[in-house]
Amino acid sequence: IIVSVCVSRLVCLRLSVTFSSRPCSRTFLVTTKCVSGELELLGDDFLGAKLVSKRFKPRKCKHRKPVLATDCILSLIGEDNASRFCVATQDKELQRALRKVPAVPIIIVNHGALALDKHSFASQKAAT
């Protein structure tokens, strides 16, 4: 799941996010209607991010009316990340909330490159 501000940061840095397109690949870039709706509300400053996010596979969420992207993503992750999502976000509050859920890899943009955040305490505790 790629969150709107992270997409915007990738666009600003002109980073290309691609994954293997082999038939056996199980990695997909996804977004939700709530994230897309938030990009719409953010206006022209996030136009590039909005256009890039349209290339992502839409993931259905349970919200009839759009909610904040953070709330939408946390509802998709749930208590145990059963769908095994990896989340790309620059939102510090969302990162803090995701660190409370075991086995949620967090990707951030750090010094112009994509980086995998360190394992959370919840993930370390669940692994033992």
Side-chain angles (χ1 to χ4, degrees), residues 4-23:
S4 52
V5 176
C6 192
V7 175
S8 176
R9 183 87 171 129
L10 294 173
V11 169
C12 289
L13 294 171
R14 294 189 174 124
L15 292 176
S16 174
V17 181
T18 57
F19 288 95
S20 173
S21 59
R22 295 176 297 173

Side-chain angles (χ1 to χ4, degrees), residues 26-97:
R26 302 267 329 210
T27 304
F28 306 99
L29 297 176
V30 299
T31 192
T32 67
K33 286 184 180 181
C34 296
V35 172
S36 298
E38 188 170 288
L39 280 169
E40 289 280 339
L41 292 175
L42 291 172
D44 290 342
D45 290 342
F46 289 82
L47 180 61
K50 183 177 122 182
L51 294 174
V52 169
S53 71
K54 286 185 178 187
R55 297 187 315 195
F56 302 156
K57 185 176 179 179
R59 174 72 180 200
K60 289 185 181 178
C61 62
K62 63 182 180 180
H63 308 111
R64 291 182 184 203
K65 293 183 179 180
V67 298
L68 293 174
T70 300
D71 296 337
C72 182
I73 289 167
L74 288 173
S75 72
L76 282 176
I77 297 294
E79 294 180 10
D80 60 356
N81 195 17
S83 296
R84 299 185 303 185
F85 285 116
C86 179
V87 180
T89 183
Q90 293 296 104
D91 185 327
K92 298 293 184 190
E93 289 182 37
L94 179 57
Q95 289 174 12
R96 272 191 286 279

Side-chain angles (χ1 to χ4, degrees), residues 79-80 99-104 118-128:
E79 294 180 10
D80 60 356
R99 286 187 189 108
K100 295 176 184 176
V101 181
V104 180
K118 62 184 176 191
H119 294 293
S120 68
F121 178 73
S123 293
Q124 291 173 0
K125 186 177 176 182
T128 58

